[in-house]
């Protein structure tokens, strides 16, 4: 079963708008929640990450919001740009299993000029 | 610049063939991983390795095996390829107990 559920599967946003991608998890043993960004023809690369003792982390236009009680976290991309068009994956780390990552299903973001 | 290199970007094989996917990293990382990427399913872990000659099954190991004879090299083996193994395969490496995986560019395998 999918331990990390991601939505939406695809997202179209106008340039300058806010992109929001949501993830929910089930396993309370997860201790680290990264987001990866993948451009066509490339492998995923770490974008931003958060630990469960923090409710929000911001890096430039990218923000993770984390709700531990609801077991949900989300990625917000402010002032979205065409260059942000990519596939985004949320993930969760199994803290007691040497750092393996469980990934969500992915969201294909398209930012229209 | 850190690098994970997958030897083949595109492969076409026939059902029943043995397939080798090779991955080499130049970062002296202990951990190496093989994931499979399919639309709507995200990345699913096939196998991982914490050290040379050590391996552990991931979430979908059936039909696959791996080999890690040297620290920098991690191979994925399909003993008898089947059409349902048509997919994008991603290799990654990391330091122990970090959440940052460094991925290769992927190997797209088509099994006819």
């Amino acid at each position: 079963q999918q331990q990390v559920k991601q939505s939406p599967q695809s997202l179209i946003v106008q340039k300058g708008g806010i992109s929001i991608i949501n993830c929910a998890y089930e396993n309370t043993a997860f201790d680290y929640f990264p987001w990866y960004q993948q451009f066509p023809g490339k492998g995923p690369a770490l974008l931003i990450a958060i630990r469960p003792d923090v409710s929000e982390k911001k890096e430039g236009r990218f923000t993770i919001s984390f709700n531990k009680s609801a077991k949900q976290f989300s990625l917000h991309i402010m002032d979205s740009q065409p260059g942000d068009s990519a596939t985004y994956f949320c993930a969760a780390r199994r803290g007691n299993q040497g750092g393996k990552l469980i990934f969500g299903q992915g969201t294909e973001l398209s930012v229209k000029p | 610049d850190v690098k994970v290199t997958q030897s083949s970007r595109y492969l076409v094989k026939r059902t029943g063939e043995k397939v080798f996917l090779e991955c080499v990293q130049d970062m002296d990382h202990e951990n190496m991983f093989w994931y499979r990427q399919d639309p709507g399913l995200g990345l699913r872990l096939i196998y991982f390795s914490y050290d040379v000659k050590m391996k552990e099954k991931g979430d979908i190991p059936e039909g696959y095996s791996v080999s890690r004879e040297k620290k920098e090299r991690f191979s994925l083996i399909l003993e008898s390829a089947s059409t349902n193994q048509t997919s994008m395969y991603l290799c990654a490496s990391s330091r122990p107990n970090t959440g940052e995986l460094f991925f290769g560019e992927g190997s797209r395998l088509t099994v006819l």
Side-chain angles (χ1 to χ4, degrees):
Chain A
Q1 73 280 15
Q2 196 77 30
Q3 295 190 48
V4 179
K5 296 183 179 179
Q6 182 173 345
S7 63
Q9 190 167 351
S10 63
L11 182 62
I12 300 174
V13 174
Q14 290 297 125
K15 179 182 176 182
I18 302 174
S19 304
I20 302 175
I21 304 170
N22 300 299
C23 283
Y25 64 97
E26 300 170 358
N27 190 337
T28 56
F30 290 145
D31 67 349
Y32 178 77
F33 300 87
W35 285 87
Y36 279 73
Q37 180 187 53
Q38 183 182 31
F39 293 106
K42 301 293 185 182
L46 179 65
L47 179 63
I48 186 173
I50 197 168
R51 296 187 184 276
D53 54 350
V54 176
S55 62
E56 185 175 283
K57 183 172 182 181
K58 184 175 181 179
E59 290 184 2
R61 296 184 294 108
F62 300 90
T63 300
I64 301 177
S65 297
F66 188 85
N67 186 329
K68 189 174 182 178
S69 61
K71 291 189 282 186
Q72 295 176 347
F73 59 111
S74 59
L75 176 70
H76 294 234
I77 306 174
M78 311 300 288
D79 187 26
S80 299
Q81 299 296 313
D84 297 330
S85 297
T87 300
Y88 293 82
F89 294 96
C90 63
R93 184 178 69 181
R94 293 168 170 162
N96 61 347
Q97 294 187 24
K100 293 188 296 183
L101 291 183
I102 306 299
F103 285 87
Q105 296 92 326
T107 297
E108 189 172 347
L109 171 66
S110 177
V111 181
K112 299 299 185 185
Chain B
D1 197 18
V2 296
K3 201 153 187 177
V4 176
T5 303
Q6 296 184 228
S7 57
S8 302
R9 293 296 306 274
Y10 301 94
L11 301 95
V12 179
K13 298 292 182 181
R14 297 207 173 272
T15 302
E17 280 192 82
K18 190 169 186 176
V19 182
F20 292 87
L21 300 180
E22 304 286 340
C23 175
V24 177
Q25 51 99 358
D26 65 359
M27 295 166 281
D28 201 35
H29 285 166
E30 287 79 4
N31 296 347
M32 295 190 75
F33 306 83
W34 276 105
Y35 283 88
R36 172 176 170 161
Q37 180 176 2
D38 298 288
L41 297 177
L43 280 67
R44 293 179 291 165
L45 182 63
I46 304 171
Y47 266 97
F48 61 100
S49 169
Y50 293 135
D51 201 349
V52 176
K53 297 190 186 293
M54 293 184 66
K55 59 186 179 184
E56 289 192 30
K57 294 180 180 179
D59 298 315
I60 52 164
E62 297 79 16
Y64 304 95
S65 62
V66 291
S67 172
R68 194 168 180 198
E69 296 295 320
K70 293 185 178 181
K71 188 176 185 179
E72 67 271 18
R73 187 179 298 271
F74 193 35
S75 303
L76 180 69
I77 303 157
L78 288 68
E79 293 289 341
S80 178
S82 63
T83 54
N84 62 12
Q85 292 178 310
T86 290
S87 186
M88 172 68 81
Y89 291 88
L90 289 164
C91 175
S93 70
S94 77
R95 295 186 189 85
N97 296 318
T98 70
E100 183 169 14
L101 270 58
F102 293 87
F103 283 90
E105 294 191 327
S107 297
R108 183 166 293 282
L109 172 67
T110 301
V111 182
L112 302 175

PDB file of all heavy atoms in Angstrom, chain B residues 1 13 21-22 25 30-31 34 39-41 44 59-60 73 76 86-88 91 96 99-101 110 112:
ATOM      1  N   ASP B   1      31.972  18.216  -9.075  1.00  0.00           N
ATOM      2  CA  ASP B   1      30.532  18.035  -9.080  1.00  0.00           C
ATOM      3  C   ASP B   1      30.216  16.568  -8.842  1.00  0.00           C
ATOM      4  O   ASP B   1      30.788  15.696  -9.474  1.00  0.00           O
ATOM      5  CB  ASP B   1      29.976  18.500 -10.434  1.00  0.00           C
ATOM      6  CG  ASP B   1      28.481  18.727 -10.373  1.00  0.00           C
ATOM      7  OD1 ASP B   1      27.959  18.856  -9.249  1.00  0.00           O
ATOM      8  OD2 ASP B   1      27.840  18.771 -11.435  1.00  0.00           O
ATOM      9  N   LYS B  13      14.886  -4.805 -24.723  1.00  0.00           N
ATOM     10  CA  LYS B  13      15.195  -6.220 -24.538  1.00  0.00           C
ATOM     11  C   LYS B  13      13.953  -7.052 -24.863  1.00  0.00           C
ATOM     12  O   LYS B  13      12.835  -6.533 -24.918  1.00  0.00           O
ATOM     13  CB  LYS B  13      15.648  -6.470 -23.098  1.00  0.00           C
ATOM     14  CG  LYS B  13      16.911  -5.727 -22.707  1.00  0.00           C
ATOM     15  CD  LYS B  13      18.118  -6.250 -23.447  1.00  0.00           C
ATOM     16  CE  LYS B  13      19.389  -5.524 -23.015  1.00  0.00           C
ATOM     17  NZ  LYS B  13      20.576  -6.036 -23.765  1.00  0.00           N
ATOM     18  N   LEU B  21      21.705  -3.591 -15.391  1.00  0.00           N
ATOM     19  CA  LEU B  21      21.750  -2.136 -15.328  1.00  0.00           C
ATOM     20  C   LEU B  21      22.853  -1.752 -14.352  1.00  0.00           C
ATOM     21  O   LEU B  21      22.856  -2.175 -13.206  1.00  0.00           O
ATOM     22  CB  LEU B  21      20.400  -1.572 -14.860  1.00  0.00           C
ATOM     23  CG  LEU B  21      19.191  -1.900 -15.746  1.00  0.00           C
ATOM     24  CD1 LEU B  21      17.930  -1.285 -15.163  1.00  0.00           C
ATOM     25  CD2 LEU B  21      19.405  -1.421 -17.168  1.00  0.00           C
ATOM     26  N   GLU B  22      23.793  -0.937 -14.861  1.00  0.00           N
ATOM     27  CA  GLU B  22      24.965  -0.592 -14.072  1.00  0.00           C
ATOM     28  C   GLU B  22      24.880   0.842 -13.566  1.00  0.00           C
ATOM     29  O   GLU B  22      24.389   1.737 -14.258  1.00  0.00           O
ATOM     30  CB  GLU B  22      26.226  -0.739 -14.921  1.00  0.00           C
ATOM     31  CG  GLU B  22      26.423  -2.108 -15.549  1.00  0.00           C
ATOM     32  CD  GLU B  22      26.863  -3.149 -14.544  1.00  0.00           C
ATOM     33  OE1 GLU B  22      27.369  -2.777 -13.474  1.00  0.00           O
ATOM     34  OE2 GLU B  22      26.704  -4.350 -14.830  1.00  0.00           O
ATOM     35  N   GLN B  25      28.947   5.608  -8.725  1.00  0.00           N
ATOM     36  CA  GLN B  25      28.953   6.925  -8.072  1.00  0.00           C
ATOM     37  C   GLN B  25      30.382   7.278  -7.673  1.00  0.00           C
ATOM     38  O   GLN B  25      31.176   6.415  -7.325  1.00  0.00           O
ATOM     39  CB  GLN B  25      28.008   6.945  -6.855  1.00  0.00           C
ATOM     40  CG  GLN B  25      28.219   5.808  -5.865  1.00  0.00           C
ATOM     41  CD  GLN B  25      29.025   6.142  -4.653  1.00  0.00           C
ATOM     42  OE1 GLN B  25      29.513   7.273  -4.489  1.00  0.00           O
ATOM     43  NE2 GLN B  25      29.186   5.150  -3.762  1.00  0.00           N
ATOM     44  N   GLU B  30      28.297   5.407   1.119  1.00  0.00           N
ATOM     45  CA  GLU B  30      28.083   4.043   1.574  1.00  0.00           C
ATOM     46  C   GLU B  30      26.784   3.447   1.012  1.00  0.00           C
ATOM     47  O   GLU B  30      26.715   2.277   0.693  1.00  0.00           O
ATOM     48  CB  GLU B  30      28.027   3.999   3.100  1.00  0.00           C
ATOM     49  CG  GLU B  30      29.365   4.190   3.797  1.00  0.00           C
ATOM     50  CD  GLU B  30      29.811   5.643   3.863  1.00  0.00           C
ATOM     51  OE1 GLU B  30      29.053   6.550   3.429  1.00  0.00           O
ATOM     52  OE2 GLU B  30      30.932   5.891   4.349  1.00  0.00           O
ATOM     53  N   ASN B  31      25.742   4.281   0.961  1.00  0.00           N
ATOM     54  CA  ASN B  31      24.430   3.775   0.562  1.00  0.00           C
ATOM     55  C   ASN B  31      24.204   3.904  -0.935  1.00  0.00           C
ATOM     56  O   ASN B  31      24.517   4.931  -1.542  1.00  0.00           O
ATOM     57  CB  ASN B  31      23.318   4.575   1.264  1.00  0.00           C
ATOM     58  CG  ASN B  31      23.332   4.423   2.761  1.00  0.00           C
ATOM     59  OD1 ASN B  31      23.998   3.555   3.301  1.00  0.00           O
ATOM     60  ND2 ASN B  31      22.581   5.279   3.429  1.00  0.00           N
ATOM     61  N   TRP B  34      18.339   1.311  -5.802  1.00  0.00           N
ATOM     62  CA  TRP B  34      17.676   1.204  -7.094  1.00  0.00           C
ATOM     63  C   TRP B  34      16.183   1.432  -6.898  1.00  0.00           C
ATOM     64  O   TRP B  34      15.537   0.761  -6.092  1.00  0.00           O
ATOM     65  CB  TRP B  34      17.901  -0.162  -7.738  1.00  0.00           C
ATOM     66  CG  TRP B  34      19.180  -0.272  -8.495  1.00  0.00           C
ATOM     67  CD1 TRP B  34      20.310  -0.921  -8.122  1.00  0.00           C
ATOM     68  CD2 TRP B  34      19.453   0.287  -9.787  1.00  0.00           C
ATOM     69  NE1 TRP B  34      21.276  -0.796  -9.085  1.00  0.00           N
ATOM     70  CE2 TRP B  34      20.781  -0.068 -10.126  1.00  0.00           C
ATOM     71  CE3 TRP B  34      18.715   1.050 -10.704  1.00  0.00           C
ATOM     72  CZ2 TRP B  34      21.382   0.323 -11.321  1.00  0.00           C
ATOM     73  CZ3 TRP B  34      19.306   1.430 -11.886  1.00  0.00           C
ATOM     74  CH2 TRP B  34      20.629   1.063 -12.193  1.00  0.00           C
ATOM     75  N   PRO B  39       4.549   6.141 -14.072  1.00  0.00           N
ATOM     76  CA  PRO B  39       3.539   7.214 -13.953  1.00  0.00           C
ATOM     77  C   PRO B  39       2.431   6.825 -12.984  1.00  0.00           C
ATOM     78  O   PRO B  39       1.891   5.724 -13.036  1.00  0.00           O
ATOM     79  CB  PRO B  39       3.012   7.330 -15.381  1.00  0.00           C
ATOM     80  CG  PRO B  39       4.109   6.815 -16.247  1.00  0.00           C
ATOM     81  CD  PRO B  39       4.761   5.720 -15.469  1.00  0.00           C
ATOM     82  N   GLY B  40       2.118   7.754 -12.103  1.00  0.00           N
ATOM     83  CA  GLY B  40       1.046   7.525 -11.140  1.00  0.00           C
ATOM     84  C   GLY B  40       1.432   6.705  -9.933  1.00  0.00           C
ATOM     85  O   GLY B  40       0.657   6.591  -8.982  1.00  0.00           O
ATOM     86  N   LEU B  41       2.616   6.113  -9.965  1.00  0.00           N
ATOM     87  CA  LEU B  41       3.081   5.288  -8.844  1.00  0.00           C
ATOM     88  C   LEU B  41       4.292   5.890  -8.147  1.00  0.00           C
ATOM     89  O   LEU B  41       4.700   5.418  -7.087  1.00  0.00           O
ATOM     90  CB  LEU B  41       3.424   3.881  -9.326  1.00  0.00           C
ATOM     91  CG  LEU B  41       2.261   3.069  -9.889  1.00  0.00           C
ATOM     92  CD1 LEU B  41       2.757   1.716 -10.398  1.00  0.00           C
ATOM     93  CD2 LEU B  41       1.172   2.857  -8.831  1.00  0.00           C
ATOM     94  N   ARG B  44       9.461   3.709  -6.576  1.00  0.00           N
ATOM     95  CA  ARG B  44       9.340   2.580  -5.657  1.00  0.00           C
ATOM     96  C   ARG B  44      10.695   1.897  -5.504  1.00  0.00           C
ATOM     97  O   ARG B  44      11.374   1.624  -6.495  1.00  0.00           O
ATOM     98  CB  ARG B  44       8.282   1.586  -6.176  1.00  0.00           C
ATOM     99  CG  ARG B  44       6.867   2.153  -6.165  1.00  0.00           C
ATOM    100  CD  ARG B  44       5.875   1.142  -6.715  1.00  0.00           C
ATOM    101  NE  ARG B  44       6.072   0.925  -8.141  1.00  0.00           N
ATOM    102  CZ  ARG B  44       5.551  -0.090  -8.819  1.00  0.00           C
ATOM    103  NH1 ARG B  44       4.794  -0.996  -8.197  1.00  0.00           N
ATOM    104  NH2 ARG B  44       5.763  -0.204 -10.114  1.00  0.00           N
ATOM    105  N   ASP B  59      10.741  -2.436  -1.459  1.00  0.00           N
ATOM    106  CA  ASP B  59       9.312  -2.715  -1.461  1.00  0.00           C
ATOM    107  C   ASP B  59       8.861  -3.612  -2.601  1.00  0.00           C
ATOM    108  O   ASP B  59       7.830  -4.270  -2.513  1.00  0.00           O
ATOM    109  CB  ASP B  59       8.540  -1.396  -1.503  1.00  0.00           C
ATOM    110  CG  ASP B  59       8.826  -0.551  -0.274  1.00  0.00           C
ATOM    111  OD1 ASP B  59       8.812  -1.124   0.846  1.00  0.00           O
ATOM    112  OD2 ASP B  59       9.081   0.649  -0.410  1.00  0.00           O
ATOM    113  N   ILE B  60       9.622  -3.630  -3.703  1.00  0.00           N
ATOM    114  CA  ILE B  60       9.212  -4.429  -4.875  1.00  0.00           C
ATOM    115  C   ILE B  60      10.395  -5.211  -5.434  1.00  0.00           C
ATOM    116  O   ILE B  60      10.803  -5.045  -6.574  1.00  0.00           O
ATOM    117  CB  ILE B  60       8.585  -3.546  -5.985  1.00  0.00           C
ATOM    118  CG1 ILE B  60       9.504  -2.373  -6.346  1.00  0.00           C
ATOM    119  CG2 ILE B  60       7.216  -3.020  -5.557  1.00  0.00           C
ATOM    120  CD1 ILE B  60       9.137  -1.704  -7.656  1.00  0.00           C
ATOM    121  N   ARG B  73      30.046   0.886  -7.146  1.00  0.00           N
ATOM    122  CA  ARG B  73      29.258   0.284  -8.220  1.00  0.00           C
ATOM    123  C   ARG B  73      28.125  -0.568  -7.663  1.00  0.00           C
ATOM    124  O   ARG B  73      28.341  -1.410  -6.794  1.00  0.00           O
ATOM    125  CB  ARG B  73      30.174  -0.558  -9.102  1.00  0.00           C
ATOM    126  CG  ARG B  73      29.513  -1.108 -10.355  1.00  0.00           C
ATOM    127  CD  ARG B  73      30.539  -1.925 -11.165  1.00  0.00           C
ATOM    128  NE  ARG B  73      31.654  -1.105 -11.607  1.00  0.00           N
ATOM    129  CZ  ARG B  73      31.695  -0.433 -12.742  1.00  0.00           C
ATOM    130  NH1 ARG B  73      30.667  -0.501 -13.583  1.00  0.00           N
ATOM    131  NH2 ARG B  73      32.757   0.273 -13.068  1.00  0.00           N
ATOM    132  N   LEU B  76      21.893  -3.656 -11.004  1.00  0.00           N
ATOM    133  CA  LEU B  76      20.557  -4.253 -10.924  1.00  0.00           C
ATOM    134  C   LEU B  76      20.449  -5.300 -12.021  1.00  0.00           C
ATOM    135  O   LEU B  76      20.798  -5.032 -13.171  1.00  0.00           O
ATOM    136  CB  LEU B  76      19.482  -3.180 -11.103  1.00  0.00           C
ATOM    137  CG  LEU B  76      18.034  -3.662 -11.034  1.00  0.00           C
ATOM    138  CD1 LEU B  76      17.677  -4.093  -9.607  1.00  0.00           C
ATOM    139  CD2 LEU B  76      17.086  -2.556 -11.498  1.00  0.00           C
ATOM    140  N   THR B  86       8.986  -3.209 -17.947  1.00  0.00           N
ATOM    141  CA  THR B  86       9.199  -2.015 -18.760  1.00  0.00           C
ATOM    142  C   THR B  86       8.984  -0.805 -17.867  1.00  0.00           C
ATOM    143  O   THR B  86       7.913  -0.626 -17.283  1.00  0.00           O
ATOM    144  CB  THR B  86       8.220  -1.988 -19.940  1.00  0.00           C
ATOM    145  OG1 THR B  86       8.562  -3.012 -20.867  1.00  0.00           O
ATOM    146  CG2 THR B  86       8.268  -0.638 -20.656  1.00  0.00           C
ATOM    147  N   SER B  87      10.026   0.031 -17.737  1.00  0.00           N
ATOM    148  CA  SER B  87       9.951   1.118 -16.773  1.00  0.00           C
ATOM    149  C   SER B  87      11.194   1.992 -16.874  1.00  0.00           C
ATOM    150  O   SER B  87      12.130   1.699 -17.621  1.00  0.00           O
ATOM    151  CB  SER B  87       9.845   0.555 -15.355  1.00  0.00           C
ATOM    152  OG  SER B  87       9.626   1.567 -14.405  1.00  0.00           O
ATOM    153  N   MET B  88      11.194   3.083 -16.081  1.00  0.00           N
ATOM    154  CA  MET B  88      12.375   3.895 -15.874  1.00  0.00           C
ATOM    155  C   MET B  88      13.018   3.439 -14.576  1.00  0.00           C
ATOM    156  O   MET B  88      12.357   3.374 -13.532  1.00  0.00           O
ATOM    157  CB  MET B  88      12.002   5.376 -15.777  1.00  0.00           C
ATOM    158  CG  MET B  88      13.152   6.277 -15.358  1.00  0.00           C
ATOM    159  SD  MET B  88      14.426   6.387 -16.609  1.00  0.00           S
ATOM    160  CE  MET B  88      13.678   7.615 -17.688  1.00  0.00           C
ATOM    161  N   CYS B  91      18.992   4.943 -10.265  1.00  0.00           N
ATOM    162  CA  CYS B  91      19.969   4.600  -9.245  1.00  0.00           C
ATOM    163  C   CYS B  91      20.249   5.849  -8.412  1.00  0.00           C
ATOM    164  O   CYS B  91      20.205   6.972  -8.930  1.00  0.00           O
ATOM    165  CB  CYS B  91      21.247   4.110  -9.911  1.00  0.00           C
ATOM    166  SG  CYS B  91      22.616   3.782  -8.776  1.00  0.00           S
ATOM    167  N   PRO B  96      25.284   7.711   4.957  1.00  0.00           N
ATOM    168  CA  PRO B  96      24.390   7.038   5.901  1.00  0.00           C
ATOM    169  C   PRO B  96      23.473   8.013   6.629  1.00  0.00           C
ATOM    170  O   PRO B  96      23.883   9.114   6.979  1.00  0.00           O
ATOM    171  CB  PRO B  96      25.356   6.382   6.897  1.00  0.00           C
ATOM    172  CG  PRO B  96      26.646   6.282   6.172  1.00  0.00           C
ATOM    173  CD  PRO B  96      26.708   7.452   5.252  1.00  0.00           C
ATOM    174  N   GLY B  99      18.818  12.273   4.325  1.00  0.00           N
ATOM    175  CA  GLY B  99      17.670  12.186   3.438  1.00  0.00           C
ATOM    176  C   GLY B  99      17.981  12.663   2.046  1.00  0.00           C
ATOM    177  O   GLY B  99      17.087  12.732   1.202  1.00  0.00           O
ATOM    178  N   GLU B 100      19.234  13.016   1.778  1.00  0.00           N
ATOM    179  CA  GLU B 100      19.561  13.528   0.458  1.00  0.00           C
ATOM    180  C   GLU B 100      20.136  12.412  -0.395  1.00  0.00           C
ATOM    181  O   GLU B 100      21.266  11.957  -0.185  1.00  0.00           O
ATOM    182  CB  GLU B 100      20.540  14.692   0.505  1.00  0.00           C
ATOM    183  CG  GLU B 100      20.798  15.251  -0.904  1.00  0.00           C
ATOM    184  CD  GLU B 100      21.534  16.563  -0.911  1.00  0.00           C
ATOM    185  OE1 GLU B 100      22.085  16.945   0.138  1.00  0.00           O
ATOM    186  OE2 GLU B 100      21.548  17.207  -1.985  1.00  0.00           O
ATOM    187  N   LEU B 101      19.325  11.997  -1.352  1.00  0.00           N
ATOM    188  CA  LEU B 101      19.758  11.021  -2.338  1.00  0.00           C
ATOM    189  C   LEU B 101      20.218  11.743  -3.588  1.00  0.00           C
ATOM    190  O   LEU B 101      19.605  12.720  -4.024  1.00  0.00           O
ATOM    191  CB  LEU B 101      18.605  10.081  -2.691  1.00  0.00           C
ATOM    192  CG  LEU B 101      18.443   8.808  -1.863  1.00  0.00           C
ATOM    193  CD1 LEU B 101      18.267   9.124  -0.388  1.00  0.00           C
ATOM    194  CD2 LEU B 101      17.280   7.968  -2.380  1.00  0.00           C
ATOM    195  N   THR B 110      12.732  -0.996 -22.055  1.00  0.00           N
ATOM    196  CA  THR B 110      11.537  -1.514 -22.717  1.00  0.00           C
ATOM    197  C   THR B 110      11.727  -3.003 -22.952  1.00  0.00           C
ATOM    198  O   THR B 110      12.742  -3.408 -23.531  1.00  0.00           O
ATOM    199  CB  THR B 110      11.283  -0.815 -24.072  1.00  0.00           C
ATOM    200  OG1 THR B 110      11.122   0.596 -23.846  1.00  0.00           O
ATOM    201  CG2 THR B 110      10.029  -1.360 -24.741  1.00  0.00           C
ATOM    202  N   LEU B 112      10.105  -6.207 -24.776  1.00  0.00           N
ATOM    203  CA  LEU B 112       9.123  -6.560 -25.811  1.00  0.00           C
ATOM    204  C   LEU B 112       8.714  -8.016 -25.714  1.00  0.00           C
ATOM    205  O   LEU B 112       9.507  -8.864 -25.291  1.00  0.00           O
ATOM    206  CB  LEU B 112       9.717  -6.269 -27.192  1.00  0.00           C
ATOM    207  CG  LEU B 112      10.152  -4.810 -27.431  1.00  0.00           C
ATOM    208  CD1 LEU B 112      10.817  -4.686 -28.771  1.00  0.00           C
ATOM    209  CD2 LEU B 112       8.957  -3.873 -27.320  1.00  0.00           C
TER     210      LEU B 112
END
